[in-house]
Structure formats: C-alpha cells, structure tokens
Amino acid sequence: NNNLQKAIDLASKAAQEDKAKNYEEALRLYQHAVQYFLHVIKYEAQGDKAKQSIRAKCAEYLDRAEKLKEYLKKKETTPAKPV
Amino acid sequence: TKADTISDEDIERQLKALGMD
C-alpha cells in the first residue's frame, strides 16, 4: 500500500499548493500523484471498484492540472503591464 | 461523465500531454 499512500500524499500536497496559489508546484504534484495512482492501478492488485474510483480521481486531478498549465502558459506570454 | 468512464490509456495519454510543453 506504499505507492497508494504516496499517491494520496502527493495529491493532498497538490491541493494545498493549489489553494495557496502556488500553481507551478501544484501542477507538478498533481502530475506526480496521477503517475503513482496509475502505477497502483496497473501493478498493484485492487478490486474493480477501487480501480475505477482511483481512475475517477486521476481524471479530476488531470483536469485541474490542465487548467493550471493553461493558466501558467497564458501568464508567461502576457507582457507585464507597465508601471 | 468522463471521470466515470476514463480508462488507463486515457489517463496515460493525458499525463503524457501534460508532460510535454
């Protein structure tokens, strides 16, 4: 259950950073968490219901990560307003 | 909903897409 716990921890940290508006860090952590969750689904025996539940969580995290990525990309290309 | 029916391949694909810039 080590990898599952690791995945949960990462997802939890990601949500914290997200809340704190540290979007770059949150994005990185969301990606990491999904990677671990995927490993658990593929290589560590879980019941079908548990697997689908994990997949649904991954979908949520991936959606959120995509939004953060878009936001960060826009931020990069928007020139800073002159003072 | 998408979250209910997502598959491992979908997850992998999205993850890869996120990783690329």
Side-chain angles (χ1 to χ4, degrees):
Chain A
N1 266 332
N2 229 353
N3 285 317
L4 183 57
Q5 192 51 54
K6 177 95 191 187
I8 293 171
D9 283 345
L10 287 167
S12 176
K13 273 206 192 112
Q16 274 177 10
E17 298 291 344
D18 199 342
K19 210 171 167 189
K21 300 197 179 171
N22 298 331
Y23 295 136
E24 275 184 32
E25 186 63 10
L27 172 58
R28 206 180 58 83
L29 290 165
Y30 279 129
Q31 286 177 268
H32 234 120
V34 171
Q35 280 172 341
Y36 269 92
F37 277 127
L38 199 55
H39 178 96
V40 166
I41 295 174
K42 283 176 140 190
Y43 304 115
E44 297 182 18
Q46 310 285 324
D48 275 345
K49 269 203 177 141
K51 277 193 196 174
Q52 202 46 43
S53 173
I54 295 174
R55 286 192 191 109
K57 275 282 164 213
C58 287
E60 275 179 40
Y61 296 140
L62 287 168
D63 263 353
R64 180 65 191 157
E66 264 175 64
K67 291 201 167 75
L68 293 180
K69 192 171 176 188
E70 283 307 309
Y71 168 82
L72 290 167
K73 219 194 278 181
K74 278 198 191 131
K75 213 175 84 163
E76 240 177 88
T77 56
T78 312
K81 291 200 180 127
V83 171
Chain B
T1 62
K2 179 177 145 195
D4 288 341
T5 55
I6 193 167
S7 68
D8 292 350
E9 290 81 19
D10 289 335
I11 296 174
E12 259 181 283
R13 216 179 307 133
Q14 269 188 270
L15 203 47
K16 277 203 183 117
L18 272 177
M20 305 185 209
D21 258 328

